[in-house]
Amino acid sequence: MKARSLVFTSPSQVSIQEQSLPKMGEDQVLVQTIFSLISPGTEMLIYRGQFPRGLADPNDPFSSNLNYPLKFGYACVGKVIEVGKNVDPGWLDQRVFAFQSHGSHFFASPESLHLVPEGCPLERACFLANMETAVNLIQDAAPILGESAMVFGQGIVGLLTTALLAEFPLQATLTADRYPSRREVSLSLGITASFDPVDEHFQQNVREILPDGADLSLELSGSPAALNAAIALAGFGGRIVVGSWYGGRPATLDLGGTFHRSRLKLISSQVSTIAASLSARWNKARRFDTAWSALARVRPERWITQRFRLEEADRAYRLLDQSPQDCIQIIFEYD
């Protein structure tokens, strides 16, 4: 059997490589991919060559030892079509999610797979990784009853996070994104307002709603410049959660008078671990259960804007790179 894999070969270049599958291990299963999701923020850093080279983080295998040529991606959904000698035959034909790079087939240990809940559409299941990130962001942000919150960036992680924030009894929830289509989806979630951050009246418009500044901000735009806007619009004692991964790009911050006088707190957030303050009660399994429940409520498959075959990957990434205003979520479909 031959498998097809997407490979990032150099900046702005991808290829589809085909190779015969090796013999499966006795403790493995073979999964045939049905859908895989592009994670726009992270994958565009890979596509553009903006990732740090040779990064090794034992807690985050998806950002370790990154160099071209590179297989990447972490949101595959498929069906188990073969099981190894030592694997429970009950795994055969199971629908599963895997943190796996884009490709038509892959081997995996059953322990690394997540069973898709009964009744959950496979397109929805593709969002598990990004929803886990959104859950982690909310846990790190710890919204408080009656607070005001602002989310910078309404890409898919931003929208998922906003959808979860909208479930809280907050005094106001604002969002910011450059693209009208994303602001429209954001508003449909029942938030207070959504603004264009490059509009000359952006900060004035936010201040009209939040004259004392935001209690809580989440920077999810992927733009280092947005951190300065979050600092400028934060209220006294405000918390700013930094969920974006900037890759190899430096972030130049204005940590002058406003930052110090307002006693602001910058909080890093990364989904590969559980926050120390929660680790006594929370583990990855509990967080995944929470993410599955959130997916059922939010139904993010409605935000899929384009579908491509894997062989059309070059078109998909060029579209994301050159016309991001036309994209919210792109999905690869497999035979």
Side-chain angles (χ1 to χ4, degrees):
M1 179 183 295
K2 292 186 179 297
R4 293 164 289 136
S5 300
L6 188 153
V7 180
F8 296 86
T9 55
S10 61
S12 303
Q13 297 295 321
V14 298
S15 69
I16 305 301
Q17 299 181 1
E18 185 175 87
Q19 61 184 38
S20 297
L21 286 170
K23 182 179 179 181
M24 183 174 63
E26 294 182 347
D27 298 314
Q28 293 182 313
V29 299
L30 176 60
V31 179
Q32 179 176 343
T33 308
I34 298 173
F35 300 110
S36 67
L37 210 66
I38 292 179
S39 186
T42 305
E43 293 192 44
M44 290 315 295
L45 292 177
I46 302 297
Y47 180 74
R48 293 167 177 159
Q50 295 174 333
F51 57 90
R53 302 303 201 270
L55 177 66
D57 180 352
N59 293 316
D60 186 6
F62 303 105
S63 62
S64 298
N65 301 318
L66 298 181
N67 283 294
Y68 293 121
L70 175 64
K71 294 181 181 180
F72 202 80
Y74 47 80
C76 283
V77 171
K79 183 174 72 171
V80 176
I81 61 172
E82 190 176 342
V83 299
K85 178 181 177 181
N86 297 332
V87 176
D88 183 341
W91 278 95
L92 194 63
D93 294 328
Q94 291 286 357
R95 304 185 312 156
V96 294
F97 172 93
F99 287 87
Q100 176 67 34
S101 57
H102 301 291
S104 64
H105 299 78
F106 59 91
F107 294 124
S109 64
E111 295 78 16
S112 69
L113 300 175
H114 298 264
L115 291 172
V116 177
E118 189 71 28
C120 176
L122 290 182
E123 291 95 334
R124 181 181 302 167
C126 287
F127 289 84
L128 178 64
N130 284 329
M131 181 58 90
E132 187 204 8
T133 298
V135 170
N136 176 71
L137 287 162
I138 294 296
Q139 290 182 331
D140 287 344
I144 298 173
L145 172 70
E147 281 194 316
S148 59
M150 183 152 192
V151 183
F152 292 80
Q154 291 295 277
I156 195 61
V157 171
L159 285 171
L160 291 170
T161 303
T162 299
L164 297 183
L165 271 180
E167 297 177 340
F168 284 80
L170 299 179
Q171 177 254 325
T173 302
L174 282 62
T175 64
D177 197 276
R178 292 174 56 192
Y179 305 128
S181 61
R182 297 179 185 181
R183 296 198 299 272
E184 289 174 11
V185 173
S186 185
L187 287 169
S188 75
L189 297 172
I191 63 165
T192 309
S194 186
F195 298 110
D196 182 350
V198 300
D199 186 289
E200 62 178 326
H201 302 297
F202 168 58
Q203 293 198 21
Q204 176 185 335
N205 291 335
V206 171
R207 288 289 184 182
E208 287 178 359
I209 299 175
L210 304 178
D212 296 323
D215 298 304
L216 169 65
S217 299
L218 296 102
E219 201 300 279
L220 311 179
S221 71
S223 170
L227 263 179
N228 284 321
I231 290 170
L233 291 168
F236 183 84
R239 311 183 310 284
I240 301 169
V241 178
V242 186
S244 293
W245 183 46
Y246 302 133
R249 296 172 298 165
T252 302
L253 300 184
D254 181 1
L255 300 181
T258 298
F259 178 77
H260 287 281
R261 285 196 303 271
S262 297
R263 303 183 69 88
L264 303 183
K265 180 183 291 186
L266 294 179
I267 303 169
S268 66
S269 181
Q270 219 293 323
V271 71
S272 60
T273 55
I274 302 286
S277 60
L278 297 178
S279 59
R281 303 179 308 281
W282 284 80
N283 56 25
K284 294 280 279 187
R286 183 179 180 185
R287 193 166 66 187
F288 278 121
D289 287 343
T290 302
W292 282 120
S293 297
L295 285 175
R297 299 193 305 273
V298 176
R299 298 176 291 110
E301 68 274 16
R302 55 192 164 139
W303 301 332
I304 295 172
T305 48
Q306 290 89 11
R307 296 170 182 263
F308 291 91
R309 295 177 57 80
L310 186 64
E311 290 73 17
E312 300 173 303
D314 182 62
R315 286 180 53 206
Y317 287 102
R318 277 192 287 112
L319 178 64
L320 267 175
D321 188 38
Q322 299 171 13
S323 302
Q325 71 277 4
D326 297 328
C327 311
I328 295 178
Q329 183 59 68
I330 295 177
I331 193 171
F332 287 129
E333 299 181 327
Y334 299 75
D335 293 334

